Amino acid sequence: MQKKENQFLMLPYKLLGAVGYVNKDGECVKMTLTEKIIYAHLRNRFVFFRSLNKEYYDTQQAIADACNMDIKSVGNILRKFIKSELTTVYKKRFNGFPKNVYTNVPELLLYQKDNTIEQNDEPEIDVQDFQGEHWIDDFDYGDLPGWAK
């Protein structure tokens, strides 16, 4: 897989600063930084493909490559996510190869350091906006000189 130099991962500050998330039983589950990166990657890809009305599927190797991690770590984290129902996955064959299809990667209810619980209010990305088709220029240029506008 060839890496693009301008690739980036959107990781919300609320997720980055959180201790963990609240599971379906109301218990706080701690998350490591590596788990947050994998979750953010899964969530971003899931939201993107859902906006196109397509299934999101990746191999563990593709996720490891995208996040610059080893496949064993990714596999362990994905098993933890599946066991704790943080994501829902089923296997499907594409061109003869098994791939994981992610059918649910929900927003998290985050547990913060100060014991508060917050929804991860991530912005929903409009694919058209993301591709630069409909950027809205709402910046207040105010007192900038004409050459800087």
Side-chain angles (χ1 to χ4, degrees), residues 6 27 39 46 56 64 73 87 98 114-115 118 120:
N6 61 351
E27 301 167 335
Y39 167 78
F46 176 76
Y56 163 48
S73 296
T87 187
D114 62 0
N115 294 330
E118 297 179 355
N120 182 24

Side-chain angles (χ1 to χ4, degrees), residues 90-101:
Y90 73 91
K91 298 258 188 225
K92 186 173 182 180
R93 295 187 82 72
F94 290 93
N95 298 327
F97 297 99
K99 296 205 177 187
N100 293 329
V101 177

Side-chain angles (χ1 to χ4, degrees), residues 128-145:
Q128 295 298 320
D129 288 345
F130 187 68
Q131 294 173 346
E133 303 274 333
H134 301 287
W135 287 105
I136 298 170
D137 187 4
D138 61 356
F139 181 74
D140 180 14
Y141 290 96
D143 296 327
L144 290 177

Side-chain angles (χ1 to χ4, degrees), residues 2-17:
Q2 185 178 9
K3 293 192 182 232
K4 297 178 184 175
E5 292 200 19
N6 61 351
Q7 275 185 323
F8 64 93
L9 173 66
M10 189 183 320
L11 188 65
Y13 285 112
K14 284 184 182 178
L15 175 61
L16 187 60

